[in-house]
């Protein structure tokens, strides 16, 4: 079974440009999460999809960030326009919708975004 | 508000030595606690988790963690560290549905030969 995959692994863009990150969750996982880790800081929650619906987007920093999940499969996170403070590692995770109890989230390797 | 503190940013241990990584949490309800490890170029991998019951939980790769409610701690331990354990370790606390996880800032482990 393939794990969570993310593309690209590393992106370097200039301030003001647009970048789109992609996440492919584990097949059959309805929950999809985006997180971000700014260098040396904690991993912070950005948002949570259940299938194609945004369940919780309370962690999105501002309206320069747009997340979508087409058809409840893969998800994209677009940053437009990018600012220097957007640099960091963006993680995606997925989990099954369980019957209760904390379901394990499976993480992708992350996309390292560098804004110069 | 829930939060996690990992006091040690970087720890260096000799191979074969014992290891303890500290984690303190703040959570208003019954916490669900996790330890993840991230090796270079890899995603976060779950080492172990605590929901209820026995406060000493066993995980993969020979790791264990002990939940101490009185100290709001969930420290990770391993009796004998291997060179392959060099990685970054994250403690996290979440709600029952695991949809609201909070992570610590991570502890980077270096293993000396």
């Amino acid at each position: 079974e393939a794990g969570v995959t993310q593309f690209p692994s590393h992106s370097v863009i200039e301030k003001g440009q647009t970048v789109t990150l992609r996440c492919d969750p584990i097949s059959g996982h309805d929950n999809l999460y985006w997180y971000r880790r700014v260098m040396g800081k904690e991993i912070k929650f950005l948002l949570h999809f259940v299938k194609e619906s945004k369940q919780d987007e309370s962690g999105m920093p501002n309206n320069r960030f747009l997340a979508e999940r087409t058809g409840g499969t893969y998800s994209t996170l677009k940053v437009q326009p990018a600012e220097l403070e957007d640099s960091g590692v963006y993680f995606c995770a997925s989990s099954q919708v369980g019957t209760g109890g904390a379901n394990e989230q499976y993480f992708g390797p992350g996309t390292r975004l560098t804004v110069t | 508000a829930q939060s996690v503190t990992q006091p040690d940013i970087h720890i260096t241990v000799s191979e074969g030595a014992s290891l303890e990584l500290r984690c303190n949490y703040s959570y208003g309800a019954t916490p669900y606690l996790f330890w993840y490890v991230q090796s270079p170029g890899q995603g976060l991998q779950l080492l172990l988790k605590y929901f209820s019951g026995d406060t000493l939980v066993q995980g993969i790769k020979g790791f264990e963690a002990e939940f101490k409610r009185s100290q709001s701690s969930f420290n990770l331990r391993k009796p004998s560290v291997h060179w392959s354990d060099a990685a970054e370790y994250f403690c996290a606390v979440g709600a029952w549905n695991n949809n609201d996880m909070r992570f610590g800032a991570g502890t980077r482990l270096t293993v000396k030969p």
Side-chain angles (χ1 to χ4, degrees), chain A residues 32-46:
Chain A
L32 188 148
Y33 310 82
W34 283 99
Y35 295 86
R36 177 174 73 173
R37 187 185 189 205
V38 173
M39 184 174 293
K41 303 291 187 181
E42 68 272 25
I43 299 170
K44 283 196 171 180
F45 167 83
L46 296 179

Side-chain angles (χ1 to χ4, degrees), chain B residues 14-57:
Chain B
S14 298
E15 190 168 17
S18 64
L19 171 70
E20 182 169 28
L21 302 182
R22 295 183 291 165
C23 172
N24 292 95
Y25 69 90
S26 172
Y27 197 71
T30 301
Y32 289 80
L33 296 158
F34 308 83
W35 274 100
Y36 284 86
V37 61
Q38 185 184 22
S39 298
Q42 305 295 314
L44 279 74
Q45 180 184 22
L46 183 67
L47 284 176
L48 49 79
K49 56 190 176 185
Y50 171 78
F51 297 157
S52 65
D54 193 346
T55 57
L56 184 64
V57 293

